[in-house]
Amino acid sequence: MNGVIINDTSEPTFYVFAFPISANERIILVTAVLLIYLIILSGNLLIISLICLQPQLHTSMYFFLCNLSTLDILYVSTTLPKLIYISHTGDHVISYSGCLAQLYFYILFADTECFMLTAMAIDRYVAICFPLHYSVIMSKQFCVLLAFPAWFMSSVNAFSLTYFTHNLIFSDLVEIKNFFCDLKALVIASISDSTSLRMFILVDAMLIGALPSCLILASYVCIIYTVLQIKSSHGRWKTFSSCSSHITIVVVYFGSAMSLYLTNSLQEDVILSMMFVTLVPMLNPLVYSLRNKDIIQALRRIIRKQK
């Protein structure tokens, strides 16, 4: 195969491997992925609708939760519809521009979700450590001040990584060993020297992943210290349980992300990528609806009004 530069007029063809299965197994895969996608859409749309319709939920905590649910919908919509199409038709080809667009939006929404979880940790820190000043500190202006940089920095980072990927050299036919155009899979598939890009990705991962992780960890160290000062065991449990939903999502998100980018097996990459893409968006509405009294009460009010 002749090597071509990606930004040349002759564009390479990207072949997304997805899941190499038989024709009979395609029906099962399409049904399973479509069901997962619909569960994610309906669950997160329900959370967004409840928060928008119920004035009682117009607080900083639910402002960030609404952002998180919106991100989850956009996040899975970047990858799962294409996987459903590939599994249904057997057409594994994706255009060059489509591949780069998918890469950009995947990085954008994944990074923004990381920052949004950090903002939610700060919200819980203020709520527990400074309860008397919570409404003053976590004002609408401050919430926007936390949310806007998350979207902005993520868009800049996604553009940078997509631009560097754009300058890689590929063969005429590029085999992507994943079910979408993942950055790791594209770097492996390139035939050019990607040392500088790999270094940039490493530094980028430290900033985008490690820095928010440290902020979340620091927030919870302060939260645990404050909770331990409460004399009543019931009070300690009640206070800390308000963070349980957020802790669950953080552990699953960062745990699956670390597992994905630390593995060297291409076969494991596909499975871990599927977990990373679908697990948090599925868990988010379940965790926040089943363990959150405000959400349950808001849903009951809506049902009563309909009746």
Side-chain angles (χ1 to χ4, degrees):
M1 296 183 183
N2 298 322
V4 293
I5 300 178
I6 257 186
N7 56 7
D8 194 30
T9 53
S10 177
E11 295 177 352
T13 301
F14 290 93
Y15 185 89
V16 181
F17 259 76
F19 297 94
I21 53 178
S22 63
N24 293 330
E25 291 172 329
R26 282 180 188 171
I27 300 172
I28 299 172
L29 181 61
V30 169
T31 305
V33 176
L34 182 60
L35 183 62
I36 290 170
Y37 186 50
L38 292 176
I39 290 172
I40 292 170
L41 285 183
S42 57
N44 284 286
L45 281 173
L46 177 63
I47 295 289
I48 294 169
S49 301
L50 288 173
I51 292 172
C52 292
L53 293 173
Q54 294 296 306
Q56 296 88 343
L57 300 181
H58 293 177
T59 62
S60 58
M61 175 183 173
Y62 296 106
F63 168 78
F64 293 123
L65 179 57
C66 187
N67 271 268
L68 191 65
S69 293
T70 303
L71 278 168
D72 285 339
I73 291 172
L74 296 173
Y75 185 48
V76 296
S77 298
T78 305
T79 54
L80 294 192
K82 182 62 178 178
L83 175 58
I84 294 169
Y85 174 80
I86 290 171
S87 303
H88 177 65
T89 62
D91 181 9
H92 292 252
V93 175
I94 184 172
S95 67
Y96 154 68
S97 57
C99 189
L100 287 186
Q102 190 180 58
L103 174 66
Y104 172 80
F105 286 113
Y106 171 76
I107 296 172
L108 169 62
F109 299 137
D111 287 358
T112 309
E113 184 145 342
C114 182
F115 286 123
M116 206 59 64
L117 288 171
T118 308
M120 293 175 79
I122 294 171
D123 175 77
R124 292 298 82 205
Y125 161 71
V126 175
I128 294 173
C129 298
F130 303 98
L132 298 178
H133 304 285
Y134 176 68
S135 58
V136 177
I137 296 173
M138 299 303 297
S139 61
K140 291 182 179 179
Q141 292 80 5
F142 186 67
C143 290
V144 173
L145 195 63
L146 285 175
F148 177 75
W151 285 92
F152 178 75
M153 288 187 294
S154 299
S155 63
V156 171
N157 185 58
F159 177 81
S160 301
L161 289 170
T162 306
Y163 176 77
F164 286 129
T165 306
H166 171 272
N167 291 324
L168 290 174
I169 301 173
F170 291 96
S171 301
D172 294 324
L173 179 63
V174 185
E175 296 180 345
I176 305 298
K177 306 289 186 178
N178 212 324
F179 66 90
F180 68 103
C181 290
D182 177 45
L183 179 61
K184 184 179 178 180
L186 286 170
V187 172
I188 293 172
S190 72
I191 58 173
S192 61
D193 181 13
S194 57
T195 306
S196 58
L197 178 56
R198 289 174 187 270
M199 289 300 296
F200 181 81
I201 293 171
L202 181 62
V203 175
D204 181 78
M206 292 297 292
L207 293 174
I208 302 297
L211 185 59
S213 300
C214 291
L215 287 173
I216 292 172
L217 184 61
S219 298
Y220 275 103
V221 167
C222 296
I223 287 170
I224 292 170
Y225 177 79
T226 303
V227 169
L228 290 176
Q229 305 305 308
I230 301 173
K231 295 180 180 180
S232 166
S233 59
H234 176 72
R236 285 197 298 268
W237 171 249
K238 186 178 179 181
T239 303
F240 194 73
S241 64
S242 64
C243 306
S244 59
S245 299
H246 180 256
I247 292 172
T248 303
I249 299 298
V250 166
V251 170
V252 172
Y253 181 84
F254 285 98
S256 56
M258 287 178 65
S259 301
L260 175 60
Y261 287 99
L262 289 177
T263 182
N264 292 318
S265 170
L266 293 175
Q267 191 173 10
E268 289 179 2
D269 270 0
V270 180
I271 299 170
L272 291 171
S273 293
M274 178 59 78
M275 289 177 61
F276 183 64
V277 167
T278 60
L279 210 53
V280 169
M282 280 185 69
L283 281 177
N284 182 38
L286 289 173
V287 168
Y288 276 99
S289 59
L290 295 176
R291 297 182 61 86
N292 192 298
K293 292 180 180 179
D294 293 335
I295 294 291
I296 294 172
Q297 288 173 0
L299 183 59
R300 286 174 178 169
R301 281 194 291 268
I302 294 291
I303 293 172
R304 281 198 296 267
K305 284 183 180 179
Q306 292 300 319
K307 287 183 178 180

